[in-house]
């Protein structure tokens, strides 16, 4: 296939300015496989306090003199986003050919400015692929150079809370599994995790985040256990058996190698990003005879809104 690409450095630079906010969202869009199951918090640069209200109120038999002076409290948790940066040199012609070849509108119907935007979208989406893979296992390292060094992922946060004793069996939000999950016991183990969660958590829609290896074991075990049951209509299972379709099974590539299964709500797993704030940028610069530089800075971070047993249950996987 012949490529008639007519795009200049100036057009690419102009598009970076014109579509700056959209481009800054592209890494988040690229991580949608994971982030679609979580709750976004846009416009966070640095720290923002999250929290769960605690306290109660009850109505009793009529008494005009009775008052309830017990206070409401907030158990604060801090969502912290970190400013990350990248400078990526690339050859415009090779990237443009890659993008051009995947577009359905070609030839005269594709203006050079359209192609410039598509090239920038492509680069920004590639940036987001690393974000998708690190949302659980990232660990903040100030001197690091990778996405995994930018922020603390949910597994890292979990491990810190376990070490602090705030995620623990005595708190009702932790189970230490004694048996490794395989194709003969996965159904019973996942159901037991759900059944040991607080009644409040069982009574609302939840997501059970797990590695694909655990999900495949569940499918095999489920087929062996319920394959001949009339209501078993398909091999793929979206909801945990016995949860009345309240517990969605969420296997994620980003959970590969994880030591934990998390049962929680979409609202409780929060990720923050800058959403085009002043310190965030996307630019194209040229400091080389043949290569351009894609320069970007953006904020990102994540946090559990609450780790109370009413909002979270964590199961640590046993070694195989």
């Amino acid at each position: 296939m012949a490529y008639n690409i007519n795009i200049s450095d100036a057009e690419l630079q102009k598009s970076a300015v014109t579509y700056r906010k959209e481009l800054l969202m592209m890494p988040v869009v690229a991580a949608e496989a994971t982030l679609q199951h979580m709750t976004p918090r846009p416009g966070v640069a640095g720290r923002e306090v999250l929290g769960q209200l605690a306290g109660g109120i009850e109505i009793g038999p009529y008494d005009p003199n009775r008052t309830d002076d017990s206070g409401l409290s907030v158990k604060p948790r801090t969502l912290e986003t970190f400013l990350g940066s990248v400078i990526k040199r690339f050859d415009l012609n090779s990237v443009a050919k890659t993008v051009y070849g995947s577009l359905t509108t070609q030839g005269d119907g594709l203006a050079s400015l359209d192609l410039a935007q598509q090239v920038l979208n492509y680069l920004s989406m590639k940036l987001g692929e690393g974000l998708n893979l690190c949302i659980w296992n990232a660990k903040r390292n100030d001197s690091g150079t990778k996405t995994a060094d930018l922020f603390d992922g949910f597994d890292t946060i979990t491990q810190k809370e376990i070490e602090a004793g705030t995620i623990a069996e005595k708190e009702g939000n932790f189970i230490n599994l004694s048996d490794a999950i395989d194709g003969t016991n996965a159904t019973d183990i996942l159901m037991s995790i759900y059944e040991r969660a607080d009644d409040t958590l069982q009574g609302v829609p939840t997501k059970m985040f797990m590695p694909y290896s655990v999900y495949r074991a569940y499918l095999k075990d489920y087929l062996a256990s319920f394959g001949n049951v009339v209501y078993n209509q398909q091999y793929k299972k979206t909801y945990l058996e016995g949860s009345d379709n309240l517990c969605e099974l969420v296997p994620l590539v980003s959970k590969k190698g994880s030591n934990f299964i998390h049962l929680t709500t979409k609202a409780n797993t929060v990720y923050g990003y800058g959403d085009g704030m002043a310190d965030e940028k996307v630019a194209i610069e040229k400091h080389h005879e043949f290569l351009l530089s894609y320069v970007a800075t953006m904020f990102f971070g994540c946090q559990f809104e609450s780790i109370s047993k009413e909002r979270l249950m964590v199961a640590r996987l046993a070694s195989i």
Side-chain angles (χ1 to χ4, degrees), residues 226-245:
F226 303 102
N228 295 322
V229 177
V230 175
Y231 68 80
N232 184 24
Q233 302 292 324
Q234 58 180 352
Y235 182 61
K236 178 183 177 182
K237 294 299 169 188
T238 306
Y239 295 96
L240 179 68
E241 181 69 18
S243 71
D244 198 24
N245 285 354

Side-chain angles (χ1 to χ4, degrees), residues 33-39 136 193-194 201 204-210 238-240 243 245-252 255 261-269 304 311-313:
T34 296
L35 297 183
Q36 65 177 311
H37 300 288
M38 300 172 180
T39 298
W136 293 94
I193 295 171
Y194 186 75
L201 192 57
V204 297
T206 54
K207 294 177 182 286
M208 185 177 283
F209 297 102
M210 65 188 69
T238 306
Y239 295 96
L240 179 68
S243 71
N245 285 354
L246 285 175
C247 179
E248 181 183 0
L249 302 176
V250 184
L252 296 170
K255 264 288 197 179
I261 292 174
H262 287 81
L263 174 67
T264 188
T265 63
K266 180 176 181 177
N268 198 44
T269 44
F304 295 110
R311 303 285 297 279
L312 177 70
M313 169 60 82

Side-chain angles (χ1 to χ4, degrees), residues 248-316:
E248 181 183 0
L249 302 176
V250 184
L252 296 170
V253 174
S254 52
K255 264 288 197 179
K256 184 176 182 179
S258 173
N259 293 323
F260 304 110
I261 292 174
H262 287 81
L263 174 67
T264 188
T265 63
K266 180 176 181 177
N268 198 44
T269 44
V270 179
Y271 65 92
Y273 59 98
D275 195 27
M277 300 188 75
D279 289 337
E280 296 185 310
K281 66 177 287 187
V282 173
I284 297 296
E285 300 176 359
K286 187 171 184 178
H287 306 288
H288 187 275
E289 292 84 349
F290 303 107
L291 302 179
L292 297 178
S293 293
Y294 172 91
V295 182
T297 57
M298 64 174 291
F299 287 96
F300 194 85
C302 61
Q303 184 59 270
F304 295 110
E305 189 173 60
S306 171
I307 58 171
S308 69
K309 63 181 181 179
E310 294 85 5
R311 303 285 297 279
L312 177 70
M313 169 60 82
V314 177
R316 179 158 53 195

